[in-house]
Amino acid sequence: MSTNPIPPLHLYSVPRDPQATPEAPPARERPRTAWTADQLMAAEFPEPKWAVPGILAEGVSLLAGPPKVGKSWLSLGLGLSVAAGGQAFDSVPVKGGPVLYLALEDTPRRLQTRMGKLLGGQKAPAGLTLVTECPPFPQGGSDAIAGWLDRNPDARMVVIDVFAKMRGQAPQGVSAYDADYVSVGYAKRIADHYGIAVVLVHHVRKAGSDDFLTEVSGTNGIAGAADATLVLKRARGQADGILHVTGRDVNEAEYALSFQEASGAWQMLDGPVTDHTIGDTRAAILRHVRENPGARPREIVASLPQLDAENVRRTCSRMAADGQLTKDGTGRYFPDTETRTQGTPGVSQLSDCPSTRADLRERVGQPESGLSQLSDSGPAGELGGS
């Protein structure tokens, strides 16, 4: 255990029954780290364990976005869903298990208000542990998180909101890239050792970019060290946000999300992202062409009498120029199938996950690397000792 004392915590989970006998954490074997080529090819490895199937796998995931876009609402909602075993984004079934949520920019009162809104009268899950203060990774934070995970061997996820509060001082004499890589490395060692998802809530640069990965604040060392990167961006049209996802165990995808002001919840919208980020006229034309490939403008007008015929013809031409439709030499329009492969209904095209939400299944994985100096003391449910 680190010699640095862990500061008093503002918020604790439900205390352990004083009469209960604490159980020793299960022993963890040191994972194998070297093989010959034939041994590696003959080995069988379990599939990664998912906190949110198709979106959040075991390992380190960056959840980045501009200030006030709703990252904390999204991450707290995910924490509640996973801890209770409900549905993430009101649509993706998740397996329940303990979740540690480090709300390092919030107060207990604010967390209580947010959870009350998200829960909407439902009972709060006892499996969600919330902490508002924790030392940085190098000053005892890694030990504190490891101690909680030792006491909660069935944990599903750890959320750190925000990452900047945990990274600590950059080592002297190293480049900015190396410092960023090392800072994420603390979380990665924990995630790999315990086989869980660790979510680091982070910020994006002020300047936008066509490549969402380059928008992550800091050097490329941050996104490079993480196993997956999720960027929440504001959207136009019916969607309030677009969640861009890519990673080592998840394929690149986009999801249209809607923020429910009354409940504070982010909900996943059905259909391709473009259905929710374009104007009503384009959306109506796109739906018709998808249902009727090869449609001509006059056929679209006949099925959509509420639209002006000339406006339909101009809009179809513009959509073809924008890559939203494909036009052949005879004037017929087809959906641009290449851009439809991301964001189909359900969590499809993501690391071999089924294409319908009802069939999403959680996968069980195993840790791959060790973590030294693990804390093993403190009451169950608390983060570190007193």
Side-chain angles (χ1 to χ4, degrees), residues 73-88 94 96-97 99 101 111 114-120 122-128 130 157 159 263:
W73 284 102
L74 191 152
S75 56
L76 181 57
L78 289 176
L80 287 167
S81 298
V82 174
Q87 289 189 330
V94 296
V99 174
Y101 188 93
L111 285 172
R114 285 182 178 174
M115 281 198 299
K117 199 171 182 179
L118 286 164
L119 289 167
Q122 297 182 353
K123 184 179 180 181
L128 177 60
L130 301 114
M157 184 168 67
V159 179
S263 64

Side-chain angles (χ1 to χ4, degrees), residues 210-381:
D210 292 336
D211 183 356
F212 68 90
L213 283 176
T214 64
E215 295 186 44
V216 176
S217 181
T219 71
N220 290 335
I222 291 182
D227 296 294
T229 300
L230 296 77
V231 176
L232 179 63
K233 301 175 67 174
R234 299 184 189 279
R236 298 178 292 111
Q238 301 171 8
D240 296 313
I242 302 297
L243 185 64
H244 302 263
V245 181
T246 190
R248 298 185 177 112
D249 291 315
V250 295
N251 292 336
E252 189 168 326
E254 296 178 344
Y255 300 97
L257 304 178
S258 176
F259 184 71
Q260 306 300 308
E261 189 67 35
S263 64
W266 283 96
Q267 293 180 341
M268 188 178 293
L269 300 175
D270 290 331
V273 166
T274 49
D275 281 6
H276 306 283
T277 55
I278 60 178
D280 292 340
T281 298
R282 291 197 180 201
I285 293 173
L286 189 57
R287 284 194 295 270
H288 178 83
V289 174
R290 191 180 296 119
E291 295 170 358
N292 303 275
R296 301 177 186 273
R298 65 173 179 271
E299 297 167 350
I300 300 173
V301 171
S303 65
L304 302 172
Q306 75 275 18
L307 300 181
D308 177 74
E310 184 59 29
N311 185 32
V312 167
R313 282 190 284 271
R314 289 196 303 266
T315 302
C316 285
S317 180
R318 291 168 181 161
M319 292 176 70
D322 293 341
Q324 295 167 343
L325 292 177
T326 299
K327 182 180 179 180
D328 69 5
T330 64
R332 298 188 302 167
Y333 288 91
F334 299 84
D336 185 359
T337 55
E338 181 178 354
T339 61
R340 297 291 173 263
T341 59
Q342 299 176 4
T344 52
V347 185
S348 62
Q349 302 297 326
L350 290 181
S351 191
D352 301 326
C353 281
S355 59
T356 56
R357 294 191 183 106
D359 293 333
L360 294 174
R361 293 182 175 86
E362 185 272 338
R363 291 164 166 83
V364 179
Q366 294 290 335
E368 294 183 354
S369 64
L371 177 69
S372 61
Q373 297 182 345
L374 298 181
S375 172
D376 58 2
S377 62

Side-chain angles (χ1 to χ4, degrees), residues 169-242:
Q169 293 289 334
Q172 293 184 351
V174 301
S175 67
Y177 178 95
D178 289 338
D180 284 344
Y181 199 94
V182 167
S183 65
V184 177
Y186 288 107
K188 181 158 176 59
R189 285 193 294 273
I190 294 173
D192 289 348
H193 182 82
Y194 290 94
I196 62 164
V198 175
V199 180
L200 305 178
V201 180
H202 194 46
H203 299 296
V204 295
R205 308 174 193 273
K206 290 183 179 180
S209 172
D210 292 336
D211 183 356
F212 68 90
L213 283 176
T214 64
E215 295 186 44
V216 176
S217 181
T219 71
N220 290 335
I222 291 182
D227 296 294
T229 300
L230 296 77
V231 176
L232 179 63
K233 301 175 67 174
R234 299 184 189 279
R236 298 178 292 111
Q238 301 171 8
D240 296 313
I242 302 297

